[in-house]
Amino acid sequence: MPACITTPIYYVNDRPHIGHAYTTTVCDVWARAMRLRGEDVFFLTGTDEHGVKVEKSAAARGIPPKQLADENAAEFKRVLSVFGLTNDDFIRTTEPRHELQVQHFVKRLLESGDVYLGTFEGWYDEGQEEYYTDTRAKELDYKSPISGKPLVRATEENYYFRLSSFQERLQAFYEANPGFVQPAARQNEVLGRLRGGLQDVPMTRTNFTWGIPFPGDERHVIYVWIDALFNYVTALGVGDPDGSAAPGLHAERAKYWPAQYHVIGKEILWFHAVIWPALLMALGLPMPRRIHAHSFWIADGQKMSKSMGNFVDLATIEGYIGSYGLDAWRWYMATQGPLQASDADFRAQHFHDTYTSELVNVVGNCPSRVTAMIGKYFDGKMPEDAQQGGEWPARCASAVADWTRAIDELDLVAAANAPMSLLRDIDAFINRTEPFKVAKDPARREELASILSQCAEAVRIAGVLLSPFLPAKMGELDAALAQPGAAGTTFAARTAWGVLTPGAALAKCALFPRVER
Ligand code: ME8
């Protein structure tokens, strides 16, 4: 079945940093894992280029907003390619394919009465470009929950989206789709707020011009959040429910909608869990399958901020990649990141210790031990196993099953743990069976061959499951195990027992060198 995963589209008023790298890496690991399983995957990312924030940042630099957008979108694209991230498209909200389709959707919402012209007064968070209800503003002590700055009282004549009329439908939807938002703690927050009632949301702005013109009333530009949310369908060429799509759209991609996962940070959950589903309901388009709202990276125990000097920016990330390698960076992101309900603390020592204890001591060491012994005792040729795998085919099959279940749930920690625990079991097996002692007794040659052959095959399977996390290094492992064309075969074939043929030449491999700190 076609499967789509998306990142948020990132604001171009900022340069890429660890937060962007994180969400994109999570999606990349998932996309690679699904492709490995033979699924037809579309991985979407891009940039959010309109709105007052971008207009102001550009003005501060004395350049037109489009120029700022061009510069930073190019930087986001460069980062994707330097980091080897495998997105299938990069949508920019200033592209005509997006703007035209957004106007088309908004026109339809006007026609259906889901959008109307009205006056509004409320508590506005300037940093977030978001209004809060009176109750919510009071709860927040009239301060932005994100920036801490005071909320301001604002009045506007605007076009509104009739969000209030979707409350019951949204509640029914959540009842029918209990795992829609994950983790569960985040879904409970959404349901709590939803029960508190919904008010209509402004769809347009008149106080600046850097946005998509509102169709039929060009004094207004479309509110950046509405514009941005639509990227998920405009990039996929999703047209109207009757199947028609605007010319120039990628109609052939519409099969990827609904997305399997929208992966986002928790600060933008309300837009994705309430406003976005309501817009889709209003347009008669299918709902995404799941929204995964992860938590935040903090650094050295504190919220990251440029003024604190603990901000993990692009230069810092590139420093880590230079010292430890790109796969090590991916590993840290995917296995130590804030994917569930708690924030994760980025610390240099922790990065280093994770690298050493997991990548050097397990993922590097186990294949190195096995291939070195095969080198020494069997002249580098895969030995023959008279026991046909012993306990190992079943052990590997259970690792594959655990991994597959975890990928379905976007549980990257569990998915990484399945092959890691397999490698640890192989190490324990080596320690227990002591092939280095068995090798001293010529009468136990057959036993030695079985032990090492089983280890090599199980290592190979662990490597397949690790490959979405560590693509370059697991490519090296495949090459050492004489599996150069492995990537072209099916997942079932790659994870089946008995792929390494007796007599095949295996090379010694040293995947993760120790790094001094
Ligand atoms: O919000 N830890 O864009 P944005 C983890 N354009 N992830 C983080 C993070 C951190 N400390 N900081 C940022 C926008 N992120 C809108 C989105 S979508 C239709 C429009 C990640 O550039 C996380 O994914 O501010 C967060 O949601 C996103 O960057 C915000 O990126």
Side-chain angles (χ1 to χ4, degrees), residues 117-440:
L117 186 65
T119 316
F120 179 79
E121 191 185 343
W123 292 105
Y124 186 58
D125 179 338
E126 290 180 310
Q128 288 298 101
E129 302 190 31
E130 186 179 359
Y131 275 95
Y132 299 108
T133 58
D134 287 346
T135 335
R136 179 87 181 130
K138 195 166 170 201
E139 266 169 34
L140 295 170
D141 197 20
Y142 303 96
K143 291 198 188 83
S144 163
I146 309 297
S147 67
K149 293 196 184 139
L151 302 177
V152 295
R153 199 75 188 149
T155 321
E156 293 182 47
E157 183 183 69
N158 274 321
Y159 288 90
Y160 289 91
F161 174 52
R162 221 178 277 284
L163 184 65
S164 58
S165 71
F166 288 88
Q167 175 153 358
E168 279 169 22
R169 273 176 279 176
L170 285 166
Q171 278 171 329
F173 174 77
Y174 271 98
E175 263 159 44
N177 298 276
F180 181 61
V181 169
Q182 55 187 54
R186 294 279 101 82
Q187 171 151 309
N188 292 337
E189 288 168 10
V190 171
L191 292 179
R193 251 182 99 177
L194 191 58
R195 278 192 291 270
L198 293 175
Q199 61 182 36
D200 294 350
V201 288
M203 277 286 269
T204 59
R205 289 284 185 274
T206 46
N207 55 342
F208 66 97
T209 56
W210 181 238
I212 302 179
F214 188 81
D217 188 349
E218 304 226 336
R219 293 171 303 156
H220 293 257
V221 294
I222 297 170
Y223 174 39
V224 65
W225 261 104
I226 302 292
D227 163 358
L229 287 165
F230 278 124
N231 93 87
Y232 300 127
V233 290
T234 60
L236 293 181
V238 176
D240 296 334
D242 69 1
S244 61
L249 283 183
H250 304 275
E252 77 288 354
R253 291 182 182 171
K255 65 178 176 188
Y256 295 105
W257 187 259
Q260 186 64 32
Y261 276 107
H262 286 318
V263 184
I264 57 169
K266 61 185 174 185
E267 85 289 9
I268 56 176
L269 181 56
W270 185 250
F271 292 103
H272 286 81
V274 173
I275 298 179
W276 180 226
L279 284 169
L280 290 167
M281 282 174 182
L283 290 165
L285 294 172
M287 292 294 147
R289 295 216 164 81
R290 285 198 197 176
I291 293 170
H292 186 99
H294 62 67
S295 306
F296 288 141
W297 278 107
I298 57 172
D300 301 318
Q302 284 175 317
K303 188 173 183 276
M304 285 193 299
S305 83
K306 288 187 182 144
S307 52
M308 291 278 303
N310 67 346
F311 207 84
V312 183
D313 59 11
L314 199 51
T316 312
I317 299 173
E318 285 174 331
Y320 278 94
I321 294 176
S323 309
Y324 295 90
L326 179 56
D327 279 1
W329 170 262
R330 291 173 63 87
W331 184 256
Y332 192 72
M333 289 292 100
T335 63
Q336 303 294 325
L339 191 55
Q340 306 301 337
S342 339
D343 290 346
D345 194 10
F346 189 97
R347 282 180 293 119
Q349 186 66 46
H350 186 234
F351 188 106
H352 182 82
D353 294 345
T354 305
Y355 176 79
T356 306
S357 66
E358 297 184 350
L359 296 182
V360 178
N361 294 350
V362 181
V363 186
N365 190 51
C366 180
S368 155
R369 269 176 116 182
V370 171
T371 53
M373 284 190 279
I374 292 175
K376 190 160 163 193
Y377 307 129
F378 292 94
D379 200 20
K381 304 274 187 329
M382 175 70 177
E384 180 128 24
D385 175 19
Q387 299 169 1
Q388 282 160 11
E391 65 187 88
W392 289 101
R395 175 68 188 83
C396 290
S398 88
V400 172
D402 290 347
W403 179 93
T404 305
R405 263 194 306 276
I407 292 295
D408 284 340
E409 298 300 315
L410 193 68
D411 185 347
L412 298 190
V413 172
N417 196 43
M420 283 301 275
S421 75
L422 181 56
L423 289 174
R424 290 195 172 101
D425 286 356
I426 299 168
D427 269 331
F429 176 71
I430 295 174
N431 296 345
R432 198 168 65 237
T433 55
E434 300 182 309
F436 29 88
K437 285 194 187 154
V438 177
K440 295 193 178 125

Side-chain angles (χ1 to χ4, degrees), residues 8-11 17 19-20 23 48 225 265 267-268 294 296-297:
I9 47 171
Y10 305 117
Y11 283 130
H17 58 65
H20 309 129
T23 313
D48 190 356
W225 261 104
E267 85 289 9
I268 56 176
H294 62 67
F296 288 141
W297 278 107

